[in-house]
Amino acid sequence: MIKLAAVLLVASAAQAVQDSENTTDTSASQEIAALGDAPLRMDLDLGAWIVRAKGTAQNGGAELQLGDDSDDSLDLGDLRGLFRGELTLARDPWAVRLMGTHGSWDGTATLTNPTTWGGTPLAAGVPLESSLDMSWFAIEGHWRAHPFIGDGRGDTTEPVELILGPHVGAAWIDLDQSLAGINNGSSWWTVYGGGELRLDVDLRPFTSLVHAMSVDIGGSIGGTAGDGGLFYKVGGGLTLHFTPNVGATIGYRLMEYRDLADGDWSISPSFPGLFASVNVTF
């Protein structure tokens, strides 16, 4: 009887282990299948970036301020409403984000001290026509790596979801600057990496006016290939989803380049400003 009981006990334990392994395998298979069945989603922001040009530039002479209120400013610091678009295509846990904008600034520079620009002497106190034209495009790859709260999927509805994920990207910028009729222009490529934190809250249990709320904040840092230096950008915002597909975003965007150069011309531009857009999600 003792031997029989021992045999039955060993067999029961072995069956329990096998059942546990089968349950684990089934659960893992279900999770993998669920991720494979995740639909393709689109998140589109189309809006206005209320931005000013800041930073410095020089062209063989003294370093001049682009837009700050100083004695040697190029008078390019007025606010401009630029069109900016941001498109995210996602199939959890991966996503691709495309961003782009274009803008122009112009002013009249009056220098306190004489200097040179592109080999041409510039006298103090003489009004000088000044302009800056900027085009920018970036593409990023994102991974929704760590759901602190929620299931980490964008196609399901959770009461609260908090996700942290890394990204890598590449950006292209084209700048054309003119001062006193002397034109300079070039374009540069930059590679960078960073992270983003996103909070989604389902508001339907509390109000019938707003479907959900999203808050995100992120940052990136990298370097410009060739004649360039440090690059960084930060951004964040609040999106109110009035329906599952339509909402509005208000936020902030900043991108800054250091030591972009083309021959004797060098420029370190900064573009900070508020961002307001219509948000469309499918």
Side-chain angles (χ1 to χ4, degrees):
M1 292 295 291
I2 294 176
K3 291 182 179 180
L4 179 59
V7 171
L8 292 175
L9 181 61
V10 170
S12 177
Q15 184 63 41
V17 171
Q18 183 176 359
D19 291 343
S20 176
E21 291 177 349
N22 291 338
T23 300
T24 301
D25 292 342
T26 300
S27 177
S29 299
Q30 290 175 346
E31 291 180 2
I32 294 173
L35 289 176
D37 293 338
L40 179 66
R41 294 178 293 104
M42 181 192 79
D43 193 309
L44 176 64
D45 279 290
L46 297 175
W49 188 22
I50 313 301
V51 64
R52 66 175 75 247
K54 304 182 69 175
T56 61
Q58 62 185 121
N59 194 0
E63 184 177 83
L64 305 177
Q65 298 291 325
L66 289 179
D68 292 340
D69 294 329
S70 65
D71 292 336
D72 288 319
S73 173
L74 297 176
D75 194 31
L76 302 174
D78 290 344
L79 285 173
R80 291 287 190 271
L82 313 186
F83 171 78
R84 180 178 175 122
E86 300 182 358
L87 171 64
T88 302
L89 300 174
R91 186 185 297 274
D92 292 322
W94 305 99
V96 174
R97 180 172 298 165
L98 306 174
M99 299 172 286
T101 187
H102 171 78
S104 299
W105 293 261
D106 57 79
T108 302
T110 303
L111 305 181
T112 303
N113 303 300
T115 185
T116 62
W117 187 270
T120 299
L122 301 181
V126 178
L128 305 170
E129 291 187 0
S130 175
S131 68
L132 178 68
D133 187 89
M134 179 270 291
S135 297
W136 183 80
F137 174 81
I139 181 171
E140 295 177 352
H142 288 248
W143 180 35
R144 296 165 67 93
H146 193 116
F148 291 99
I149 303 173
D151 60 7
R153 294 185 54 165
D155 62 317
T156 61
T157 301
E158 300 282 336
V160 179
E161 189 162 58
L162 181 64
I163 299 172
L164 173 66
H167 63 257
V168 294
W172 172 84
I173 188 169
D174 181 85
L175 296 172
D176 291 289
Q177 185 181 12
S178 176
L179 179 62
I182 304 167
N183 300 313
N184 296 92
S186 190
S187 58
W188 298 266
W189 280 98
T190 299
V191 293
Y192 59 86
E196 183 174 278
L197 184 67
R198 179 183 176 102
L199 172 68
D200 295 321
V201 181
D202 184 3
L203 297 179
R204 289 176 297 175
F206 310 103
T207 178
S208 60
L209 300 178
V210 182
H211 180 82
M213 175 184 72
S214 299
V215 179
D216 65 274
I217 184 171
S220 314
I221 187 169
T224 301
D227 294 325
L230 179 70
F231 164 79
Y232 67 88
K233 65 180 180 69
V234 294
L238 167 68
T239 301
L240 296 178
H241 304 274
F242 301 110
T243 75
N245 304 112
V246 179
T249 298
I250 183 71
Y252 180 81
R253 303 289 187 269
L254 163 68
M255 61 184 193
E256 184 165 321
Y257 288 83
R258 300 283 180 85
D259 302 323
L260 300 177
D262 181 34
D264 291 334
W265 175 56
S266 64
I267 184 169
S268 297
S270 175
F271 303 99
L274 295 176
F275 178 59
S277 71
V278 174
N279 177 268
V280 180
T281 304
F282 290 102

